[in-house]
Amino acid sequence: MSHVRQREAHKTQGRILSNKMSVDEYLAGEQDGEFRHEYIDGMVYAMAGASRRHALIVTSLTLLLGPKARQQGCQLFANDMKVRIQQAGEESFYYPDLILGCDPNDRETYFSTRPCLIIEVLSESTERIDRREKLYAYTGGLPSLHEYLLLAQDCRQADLYRRRSEGWQHEKLVEGSIHLQCLDMEVTIDDIYQDAERT
């Protein structure tokens, strides 16, 4: 996901705000604001737009997963739904590229708290955040999460983190198919990247 992060302060309507923002203030601002922001322990970080390839990969995944998600009574969100994480006394809100939720009790209006699958499409500016900060936050702060899938934007590469009884298992794929346990379905690397590779 594309982000513009300003860790020393955040900007709102041209002003630099150095004080921490409450969760309620953040959620109210996201409803009324023109731009999206992620929230990490009181600090807010602006997000930039996505590239054409990024958007095509997200669209492909939405089309691939959507019918199965509906069939199983799950909900699939692309880009605009936040995930809320409470961990080590801190509270954070992220905007994953895709969220799959299958828990009928996870029905907050503006965020998800019990996702089963999260997918992020990497870019040069966000790869470190997605591979480190978000990996830690998602796998450590979301007991409901079964799978975290990272997809390279400029080449065929998938990194799948899957929850096992003994801990999280990492698998890297550049061809073949990915089995998504949350939907019990196979998704091929060809199908994920088909539209993006036509650009």
Side-chain angles (χ1 to χ4, degrees):
M1 180 174 290
S2 297
H3 307 75
V4 176
R5 292 187 172 261
Q6 300 166 328
R7 293 205 172 274
E8 63 282 348
H10 60 271
K11 294 182 178 180
T12 302
Q13 297 178 347
R15 294 176 297 140
I16 296 178
L17 305 178
S18 58
N19 295 328
K20 285 191 173 184
M21 182 179 289
S22 72
V23 169
D24 288 342
E25 289 172 328
Y26 164 72
L27 292 174
E30 288 300 281
Q31 292 178 48
D32 301 331
E34 183 179 353
F35 303 104
R36 295 181 304 160
H37 304 79
E38 293 188 328
Y39 177 96
I40 303 169
D41 191 31
M43 300 302 292
V44 175
Y45 305 100
M47 300 176 64
S51 71
R52 179 180 295 271
R53 287 178 64 92
H54 181 287
L56 287 170
I57 292 169
V58 171
T59 299
S60 292
L61 286 162
T62 303
L63 294 171
L64 290 167
L65 305 185
K68 187 75 168 180
R70 178 178 290 174
Q71 181 184 11
Q72 295 194 7
C74 299
Q75 294 182 336
L76 182 68
F77 302 96
N79 297 315
D80 291 324
M81 177 61 78
K82 294 179 286 295
V83 62
R84 179 183 188 178
I85 300 170
Q86 295 174 298
Q87 185 180 24
E90 297 181 359
E91 192 161 7
S92 301
F93 291 84
Y94 294 104
Y95 280 97
D97 289 315
L98 286 111
I99 302 175
L100 177 73
C102 298
D103 187 329
N105 295 314
D106 187 11
R107 293 294 186 268
E108 292 286 348
T109 303
Y110 296 108
F111 55 84
S112 171
T113 58
R114 302 175 188 177
C116 183
L117 166 69
I118 289 178
I119 301 175
E120 297 281 11
V121 178
L122 304 173
S123 68
E124 184 177 349
S125 63
T126 67
E127 183 169 0
R128 183 185 62 81
I129 293 168
D130 291 336
R131 288 192 182 279
R132 291 177 156 183
E133 178 183 313
K134 290 189 176 184
L135 174 63
Y136 170 76
Y138 293 160
T139 60
L142 294 169
S144 64
L145 191 69
H146 289 281
E147 294 157 315
Y148 177 40
L149 179 61
L150 295 169
L151 295 167
Q153 182 176 171
D154 298 322
C155 67
R156 291 187 173 210
Q157 181 176 311
D159 287 273
L160 178 64
Y161 295 86
R162 194 191 311 275
R163 188 187 296 272
R164 301 290 193 188
S165 58
E166 64 274 15
W168 284 89
Q169 180 186 59
H170 175 219
E171 182 179 3
K172 183 175 292 187
L173 303 98
V174 295
E175 59 183 12
S177 62
I178 303 167
H179 182 74
L180 297 176
Q181 288 183 338
C182 289
L183 293 174
D184 191 22
M185 70 178 292
E186 300 287 329
V187 179
T188 70
I189 298 293
D190 285 344
D191 285 340
I192 291 172
Y193 287 99
Q194 181 178 1
D195 292 333
E197 291 177 343
R198 292 175 178 170
T199 60

